[in-house]
Amino acid sequence: MGTDMFGYVEARWDRWWDEDDREWHMAIDTMHLYNGRSYLAFGCLFGVRDNTFRPLAADRGLPPDASEEVRAQFGDGRYGDSWITWAELSATDWDEPATEVDDCVLEYRRDAEGAWEMYGRNTNLTRFAELSGITDPRALHRAGRSHPEGTEWHDGDRLFRIGRLRRKDAVDSEWEPIWSVMRTLAAIHGDDAVRLVAGFG
């Protein structure tokens, strides 16, 4: 059975002269922004379903000062509940490599400046099989287990490589709508006054 994330972006207005405005309020339900099921991303951010990366914010539980709207959505007996602020996300080194070599072969393509940019994992396996000579389907899907890190197969403006993902490869463009909302709110409220609260089920 798969695991899905449900989440909420919260914000707090830290105007020191009005204590009531220091409470957290739900800004948006992430179901309007993200409906993916990337275990790599869940693990990278919250340590759920994947340990490729050291998680940024694992097992923090529901914030004790969570908004009433958010608190009402979280039931008892859940696992993986956690949260992370925009300040923490902004300070993250998104080029940090994974703790281990990826099982999949990574495909890179040239960007506008001619540098190699990751395109995907286990993409174009038919062409990769031709280049690598791997015929067993299981070995093809897990080439990172049978070839040393750094092994490369060049194919014109495309490159297949055994290597490690970076954090930004795990949390891909599907997450940009969430980041965009958080970034916008942080410009108004401050980086520490915007957070993503997430649960899994």
Side-chain angles (χ1 to χ4, degrees):
M1 186 172 179
T3 299
D4 293 300
M5 183 188 87
F6 63 97
Y8 307 89
V9 175
E10 291 187 309
R12 176 185 70 197
W13 191 270
D14 275 341
R15 292 188 295 185
W16 63 269
W17 60 85
D18 190 343
E19 196 63 31
D20 290 339
D21 282 341
R22 297 179 70 86
E23 294 180 359
W24 289 89
H25 299 276
M26 185 178 79
I28 192 168
D29 185 328
T30 59
M31 68 178 273
H32 302 296
L33 307 170
Y34 174 80
N35 64 357
R37 184 188 272 181
S38 170
Y39 294 159
L40 266 175
F42 296 169
C44 173
L45 295 169
F46 302 111
V48 172
R49 290 298 300 257
D50 188 89
N51 60 1
T52 301
F53 294 89
R54 174 189 54 80
L56 296 176
D59 298 318
R60 291 179 170 178
L62 187 64
D65 56 355
S67 64
E68 288 184 20
E69 306 100 317
V70 168
R71 188 173 299 283
Q73 303 301 320
F74 283 72
D76 295 329
R78 304 200 68 86
Y79 82 98
D81 295 349
S82 199
W83 55 273
I84 189 167
T85 66
W86 182 248
E88 292 172 296
L89 290 165
S90 297
T92 296
D93 176 6
W94 293 102
D95 286 315
E96 180 184 346
T99 56
E100 56 192 40
V101 174
D102 199 68
D103 283 352
C104 302
V105 65
L106 308 180
E107 180 181 344
Y108 295 81
R109 295 189 179 181
R110 298 279 189 190
D111 64 16
E113 287 76 40
W116 292 115
E117 182 175 313
M118 199 184 101
Y119 176 76
R121 303 167 70 225
N122 274 355
T123 47
N124 297 296
L125 285 179
T126 301
R127 180 58 179 151
F128 174 62
E130 294 171 354
L131 293 168
S132 65
I134 300 173
T135 55
D136 178 67
R138 287 180 59 89
L140 188 65
H141 283 85
R142 296 177 176 166
R145 293 186 180 184
S146 57
H147 290 78
E149 182 175 6
T151 304
E152 295 182 344
W153 295 264
H154 288 264
D155 187 29
D157 283 339
R158 181 165 53 188
L159 168 71
F160 296 94
R161 177 187 294 154
I162 303 300
R164 297 170 193 250
L165 294 169
R166 298 161 299 173
R167 282 195 187 275
K168 65 183 173 187
D169 301 323
V171 184
D172 61 15
S173 59
E174 285 188 343
W175 287 76
E176 182 52 35
I178 294 178
W179 302 155
S180 180
V181 167
M182 294 183 75
R183 188 183 302 114
T184 300
L185 289 170
I188 299 167
H189 300 285
D191 290 358
D192 285 317
V194 177
R195 68 187 174 198
L196 170 62
V197 182
F200 299 86

